[in-house]
Amino acid sequence: MRRRRKAVTVRPPASRLLPTATAVALLAVLGPAATVHAASTGTPTIRLSTAYLSGAVGASGDPVVTVTVAQSGADASGLTVTASSSSRSAVAGTGDVRVTGTGGSRTVAVTARAQGYADLTLKVTGTDGKSATTTLHYAASPAVQHAADARYLTGASDASAAVDVGGGYVLVANDEDNTLRLYDGSASGAPVRSWNLSSALGATKEVDIEGAARVGNTVYWTGSLGNNKDGVYKADRNTVFTTTLSGSGAATSVAFGTAGHRLRDDLVAWDHANGDRYGFAAATADGQTPKQVDGFNVEGLEFAPGSTTTAYVSFRAPLVPPSEGGKALLVPVTNMDQVVRGTKAAFGTPVELDLGGLSVRDLRRNDKGQYLIVAGSWAAEDNSAPYALYRWDGVAGHQPVKVLDLPTADAGGWESVVSVPDLDVPGGRVQLITDDGSADLYGDGTQAKDLTHPEWQKSRSTFFTLG
């Protein structure tokens, strides 16, 4: 008799079982053929380090702008940046804009075609075609002589005194404010650092800084000491002060030292006691403007040969005698190290130099006791009058020798000499800086000092080779 086999039921694994209600719900949500989509990208962004930029026709190494771009969901290296339009192609067109760099940070440079203004539209485009734009407001000044050796120091236009701080860097004063600015003297662009000394000086108006001299790590600065352009006495201009340097080059730091506020009064009293030979009392009277042939206006400061206490206070006005062809005037202050602390000034024998009828706009001494003097008109605010560079040994009674006629007709007036090379070695390079405050840089009748954007304000630095 055969035995009956039991029926065996085969069940699928539990993981393959799905309650009917759950399955129906999933089908309702996913549909019969669900599709997975890639993450979407956002609209690109574009941001400028500054919305304002200046350049010059024929310039080498004009300032640049940094552009930061991004796009959510995309790699920044896949974004493209272009100039898509220009409001004035005659000044700078889209083809004059160069974009370099990769990733999220790019550099934009512009080549100027002509003097004037142009708004340049910069566009960032993602790999998916999405884009965004921003506007760069560009201003171009005209071509200048020695363009290949010129650099533009932006952020202020009235450079009035400068000292070498090493490594090609220059500390520059501006006579329209009380701020010292540190620049890379070999490149065009904005200051690396700046120090506003108004509070330390207790000044509510500009000191009208016009001269500087360095002794070790101490820099001596002088205001113009004269009345303002309206013939009004302003106490802040009657200032000499010091700063102390630490570090050098790009790492230079500036600390305020001391200040004195009586040198103008001491000069007037000294001249009166000596028969009013130079007319200082009359020139500083109420209503007398400083930039006259018989005016009172200091523009240069440097120490006498081998001295750290006697400084030559050098005058733009007056000439001696106060007429065409007069000589330039230097008055030695024999205790300048104490005058900057408020002590009454003591004076040596005045020095009168034949600079061909020009006055001192700046002077600088090197460690060999050799001096260079920037000579210019007592009247000119620009380069419409002659300028020249003279060599001198710093000794009273020894006359300077002209080494170079400086170019004229360009914007600005030659105002500062940074440092003096060894004048006995041919081929030395000297760096001069212009005060462009009164210049119409962009052809619209606006003086540079009145421009509303500091990126458009600038002074020009030029290197000259001496024979």
Side-chain angles (χ1 to χ4, degrees):
M1 171 175 163
R2 290 187 307 173
R3 298 183 63 183
R4 252 181 174 180
R5 291 186 179 177
K6 278 190 177 178
V8 178
T9 304
V10 179
R11 298 179 178 273
S15 60
R16 294 177 58 187
L17 296 177
L18 198 63
T20 303
T22 304
V24 171
L26 282 174
L27 286 173
V29 172
L30 298 176
T35 303
V36 178
H37 293 276
S40 61
T41 57
T43 301
T45 60
I46 180 168
R47 181 169 52 86
L48 305 178
S49 58
T50 174
Y52 298 87
L53 182 67
S54 67
V57 177
S60 299
D62 263 341
V64 297
V65 166
T66 298
V67 181
T68 303
V69 293
Q71 185 180 25
S72 61
D75 188 335
S77 63
L79 306 179
T80 58
V81 179
T82 58
S84 59
S85 67
S86 168
S87 64
R88 290 191 65 192
S89 296
V91 173
T94 57
D96 300 311
V97 179
R98 302 181 309 283
V99 182
T100 57
T102 59
S105 181
R106 316 289 174 90
T107 299
V108 170
V110 182
T111 299
R113 288 182 175 271
Q115 182 186 35
Y117 300 94
D119 282 348
L120 298 166
T121 301
L122 302 180
K123 182 178 181 180
V124 57
T125 305
T127 55
D128 56 0
K130 293 179 181 179
S131 64
T133 62
T134 191
T135 301
L136 176 63
H137 306 285
Y138 182 70
S141 57
V144 297
Q145 300 169 77
H146 301 275
D149 294 312
R151 301 293 182 267
Y152 292 88
L153 311 180
T154 67
S157 59
D158 295 78
S160 55
V163 293
D164 185 353
V165 295
Y169 284 77
V170 185
L171 188 63
V172 181
N174 181 68
D175 62 25
E176 290 293 314
D177 59 32
N178 301 321
T179 298
L180 303 180
R181 296 172 173 85
L182 178 66
Y183 290 95
D184 179 352
S186 65
S188 295
V192 176
R193 298 183 65 184
S194 61
W195 296 266
N196 187 335
L197 300 181
S198 291
S199 178
L201 288 164
T204 58
K205 298 290 185 180
E206 72 270 16
V207 167
D208 193 25
I209 302 170
E210 293 290 353
R214 180 175 180 177
V215 177
N217 288 326
T218 300
V219 181
Y220 291 74
W221 308 88
T222 181
S224 66
L225 308 184
N227 293 343
N228 70 6
K229 64 182 180 180
D230 299 318
V232 178
Y233 172 66
K234 296 293 183 182
D236 289 334
R237 294 174 177 237
N238 187 8
T239 298
V240 290
F241 68 97
T242 64
T243 56
T244 301
L245 305 179
S246 58
S248 63
T252 297
S253 187
V254 175
F256 177 75
T258 63
H261 303 281
R262 59 174 297 167
L263 181 54
R264 164 183 161 128
D265 308 281
D266 293 341
L267 282 162
V268 171
W270 164 79
D271 186 45
H272 181 67
N274 287 277
D276 292 310
R277 178 178 178 182
Y278 300 117
F280 286 173
T284 54
D286 188 46
Q288 296 300 305
T289 56
K291 296 172 184 177
Q292 303 293 329
V293 70
D294 58 352
F296 183 92
N297 193 74
V298 170
E299 291 232 355
L301 183 70
E302 185 55 278
F303 282 81
S307 179
T308 59
T309 59
T310 297
Y312 291 130
V313 174
S314 308
F315 288 79
R316 174 173 176 168
L319 289 180
V320 184
S323 60
E324 184 176 350
K327 293 183 178 181
L329 174 64
L330 284 65
V331 177
V333 177
T334 60
N335 61 336
M336 183 59 81
D337 58 322
Q338 297 303 311
V339 170
V340 293
R341 301 177 183 272
T343 300
K344 179 180 178 180
F347 301 100
T349 303
V351 178
E352 298 172 8
L353 299 178
D354 184 358
L355 301 178
L358 301 176
S359 58
V360 175
R361 302 300 285 268
D362 197 19
L363 78 165
R364 182 68 62 242
R365 183 192 74 182
N366 64 17
D367 57 7
K368 296 181 178 295
Q370 302 166 334
Y371 291 73
L372 283 177
I373 300 172
V374 178
S377 166
W378 54 265
E381 296 288 357
D382 54 23
N383 281 345
S384 61
Y387 284 80
L389 198 61
Y390 281 81
R391 175 179 178 171
W392 185 43
D393 62 6
V395 178
H398 293 188
Q399 288 302 312
V401 176
K402 185 192 292 188
V403 295
L404 187 67
D405 284 311
L406 296 173
T408 58
D410 295 326
W414 299 108
E415 190 81 0
S416 305
V417 53
V418 175
S419 60
V420 179
D422 186 342
L423 300 179
D424 292 331
V425 178
R429 300 260 288 173
V430 61
Q431 184 179 13
L432 305 182
I433 302 176
T434 60
D435 179 338
D436 285 20
S438 298
D440 176 11
L441 293 176
Y442 305 116
D444 63 345
T446 303
Q447 289 189 341
K449 68 178 68 178
D450 296 326
L451 292 166
T452 54
H453 305 293
E455 296 87 354
W456 288 353
Q457 295 186 11
K458 58 186 179 182
S459 293
R460 176 165 44 95
S461 164
T462 305
F463 291 86
F464 293 94
T465 300
L466 303 180

